[in-house]
């Protein structure tokens, strides 16, 4: 079974802090994705990576950056957290079109 | 027009009912279609994956794709309380770098 793990289930941070969300997959997948999920807005793609060190912006990249130094690990960085970044963050990985999701990180920015 | 439309519900049915969940889409380039189930405060879990038109069955779940109408469906037979969740449709086109376009999800409650 594909396993995608995320570093924290719940996280509380202060406005202006730099926040790192980590995602690790164990299936040697080429593609990895970061989404945020908000009520009424659904899943929105922030960034994705289709190879180590290769990344592309998704639909809502503003305020975020990513890092993929190793194939199995994809990190989402909030350079200076703001209250409007309070959300559920979901990581996914895939080899083809089927994406497999992690359990999510519920981030609250105060 | 949004690329993928999905009725958010909520949908409430009695145990044992047949449930029909649907999505419509506007992009005729979509070829790959998925249904995900998401329990409260958890990540989405892949339920069904189909390519192009046709039906696919897996236990109590059947996925249908009608590309001529740009319409996909998920049927759940003999629904159980454990099926209570949000169901998300997702789809993708060739050459999209494997990006998915999601519907906003339908909240289903199956009452015992």
């Amino acid at each position: 079974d594909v396993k995608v793990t995320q570093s924290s289930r719940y996280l509380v941070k202060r406005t202006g802090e730099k926040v790192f969300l980590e995602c690790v997959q164990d299936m040697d997948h080429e593609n990895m994705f970061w989404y945020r999920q908000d009520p009424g807005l659904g899943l929105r793609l922030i960034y994705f990576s289709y190879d180590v060190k290769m990344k592309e912006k998704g639909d809502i990249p503003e305020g975020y950056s990513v890092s993929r130094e190793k194939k199995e690990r994809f990190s989402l960085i909030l350079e200076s957290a703001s209250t409007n970044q309070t959300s559920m963050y979901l990581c996914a990985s895939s080899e083809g079109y089927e994406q497999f999701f992690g359990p999510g990180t519920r981030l609250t920015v105060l | 027009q949004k690329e993928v439309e999905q009725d958010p519900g909520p949908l409430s049915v009695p145990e044992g009912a047949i449930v029909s969940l649907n999505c419509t889409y506007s992009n005729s380039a979509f070829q790959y279609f998925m249904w995900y189930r998401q329990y409260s405060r958890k990540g989405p879990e892949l339920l069904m994956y189909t390519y192009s038109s046709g039906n696919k069955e897996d236990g109590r779940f059947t996925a249908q794709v009608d590309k001529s109408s740009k319409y996909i469906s998920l049927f759940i037979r003999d629904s159980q309380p454990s099926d209570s969740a949000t169901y998300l449709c997702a789809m993708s086109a060739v050459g999209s770098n494997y990006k998915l376009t999601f519907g906003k999800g339908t909240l289903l409650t199956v009452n015992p």
Side-chain angles (χ1 to χ4, degrees):
Chain A
D1 277 355
V2 176
K3 191 156 185 192
V4 180
T5 56
Q6 294 183 231
S7 48
S8 306
R9 290 301 310 277
Y10 300 94
L11 209 52
V12 180
K13 295 293 181 181
R14 297 278 177 194
T15 302
E17 280 193 76
K18 191 168 186 175
V19 181
F20 293 86
L21 303 181
E22 303 281 333
C23 176
V24 178
Q25 50 98 0
D26 68 356
M27 284 303 291
D28 202 36
H29 284 170
E30 295 289 338
N31 311 308
M32 295 188 75
F33 306 82
W34 274 107
Y35 296 89
R36 62 178 284 176
Q37 187 175 34
D38 302 286
L41 297 177
L43 277 161
R44 293 181 291 168
L45 182 64
I46 305 170
Y47 266 96
F48 70 102
S49 167
Y50 48 89
D51 198 357
V52 175
K53 303 209 184 222
M54 302 295 287
K55 56 193 179 188
E56 274 197 30
K57 294 178 180 178
D59 301 318
I60 51 162
E62 297 78 20
Y64 304 94
S65 62
V66 290
S67 171
R68 194 168 180 201
E69 297 292 325
K70 292 186 177 180
K71 191 174 186 179
E72 68 271 17
R73 188 177 297 268
F74 191 34
S75 302
L76 181 69
I77 303 154
L78 287 65
E79 296 290 343
S80 177
S82 64
T83 55
N84 63 12
Q85 292 178 311
T86 291
S87 187
M88 172 74 136
Y89 288 87
L90 290 158
C91 173
S93 75
S94 81
E95 192 58 34
Y97 293 93
E98 302 158 89
Q99 290 185 17
F100 298 91
F101 283 83
T105 295
R106 180 78 202 166
L107 173 66
T108 301
V109 183
L110 301 175
Chain B
Q1 182 186 10
K2 294 193 178 96
E3 264 197 308
V4 179
E5 301 263 15
Q6 183 176 10
D7 186 338
L11 183 61
S12 182
V13 301
E15 185 175 351
I18 296 174
V19 176
S20 171
L21 303 165
N22 311 294
C23 287
T24 58
Y25 62 94
S26 58
N27 186 349
S28 57
F30 287 146
Q31 296 271 16
Y32 302 88
F33 303 92
M34 277 139 276
W35 285 96
Y36 285 84
R37 177 176 62 195
Q38 185 176 22
Y39 292 115
S40 182
R41 289 185 286 276
K42 302 280 173 105
E45 167 195 10
L46 183 63
L47 265 183
M48 302 287 282
Y49 169 56
T50 52
Y51 169 69
S52 196
S53 282
N55 293 359
K56 185 173 183 179
E57 189 173 318
D58 184 2
R60 296 183 296 110
F61 298 90
T62 300
Q64 284 186 353
V65 175
D66 181 350
K67 289 191 70 185
S68 61
S69 301
K70 297 192 181 70
Y71 188 88
I72 70 169
S73 300
L74 178 71
F75 296 96
I76 307 173
R77 289 183 298 282
D78 188 24
S79 56
Q80 302 295 308
S82 59
D83 295 327
S84 298
T86 296
Y87 290 80
L88 301 157
C89 64
M91 42 201 85
S92 188
V94 174
S96 65
N97 275 337
Y98 304 109
K99 288 188 291 183
L100 296 180
T101 302
F102 284 87
K104 291 187 178 176
T106 299
L107 177 60
L108 170 68
T109 301
V110 180
N111 301 298

